[in-house]
Amino acid sequence: MRNSYERPRLSFAAKFVEWLLGPLVFLWLATAASGIFMITRAVEESFDARLEDLAHAVATHLVPTGNPKAPLRLSPAGDALLHFDRFDDRQYALRGADGQVFAGDPEMPPVTGTITGNDVTLHGGLIADQPVRIAARLVPVPAMPQRTVVLQVAETFSRRHDLATSLRTQSFVPQLLLLGGAFVLVWY
């Protein structure tokens, strides 16, 4: 007995959708992949700039102690500046020339790279098993003109991740709905 199964003939619209399906899905995936990269980069740059500004602001709230081993400390106003955010945890550390933390969080990862002048360097690390982004800069000690300490300010990634996720959702869901709508319009 012969198999009498035959594929039904497709209308022109169905053939058109079938023909366009692959390229459109590929185009959507390529757009989504590049969008993920661009959104992540924009969010990182924005938050890194804010973290650099925070490091500069915290540096203005360091006050001399008169103790040569721990020449600076963070003022209460500087501490309030660090802890105003209810979403991200922020920490700071002050390091002497020997690299040892003399104020702030002793778990702060050491500085990677070199810091020059008033520049801020950024790097990642872990504090209490949580990934953080760290801004580090040199701060002169007022009573000792030739001496500087390293100020490090770290923050967790909560807000960064929330914003990137929100932007990706707001970007990709409408694209997917538009793609689905295009198929429905062509099909019927």
Side-chain angles (χ1 to χ4, degrees), residues 11-43:
S11 69
F12 173 75
K15 285 181 185 178
F16 189 65
V17 168
E18 187 177 86
W19 180 74
L20 280 181
L21 181 64
L24 284 177
V25 168
F26 174 77
L27 185 62
W28 179 75
L29 290 174
T31 304
S34 65
I36 287 170
F37 174 76
M38 292 179 356
I39 288 170
T40 301
R41 184 176 171 108
V43 168

Side-chain angles (χ1 to χ4, degrees), residues 32-176:
S34 65
I36 287 170
F37 174 76
M38 292 179 356
I39 288 170
T40 301
R41 184 176 171 108
V43 168
E44 291 297 324
E45 287 176 359
S46 174
F47 276 85
D48 281 352
R50 193 184 73 155
L51 185 59
E52 287 181 27
D53 292 343
L54 181 63
H56 287 299
V58 169
T60 64
H61 290 280
L62 296 175
V63 293
T65 63
N67 179 354
K69 291 184 180 183
L72 296 173
R73 67 173 177 79
L74 187 61
S75 70
D79 192 54
L81 185 64
L82 280 174
H83 297 103
F84 77 92
D85 193 336
R86 60 190 166 117
F87 298 104
D88 278 322
D89 291 329
R90 293 199 176 109
Q91 304 295 329
Y92 84 100
L94 292 171
R95 293 182 184 274
D98 59 359
Q100 297 299 312
V101 175
F102 64 83
D105 189 342
E107 290 186 35
M108 182 74 69
V111 175
T112 59
T114 57
I115 307 169
T116 57
N118 209 17
D119 294 338
V120 175
T121 63
L122 297 163
H123 61 94
L126 290 173
I127 297 178
D129 294 328
Q130 282 200 332
V132 292
R133 186 74 166 156
I134 304 166
R137 65 162 287 186
L138 294 175
V139 178
V141 178
M144 305 167 194
Q146 299 301 324
R147 185 166 175 201
T148 59
V149 298
V150 175
L151 166 66
Q152 292 176 280
V153 177
E155 72 178 0
T156 56
F157 289 97
S158 297
R159 277 188 185 250
R160 291 174 192 241
H161 289 237
D162 291 348
L163 179 59
T165 300
S166 174
L167 290 174
R168 282 192 290 267
T169 302
Q170 291 174 21
S171 172
F172 303 141
V173 169
Q175 287 180 17
L176 190 57

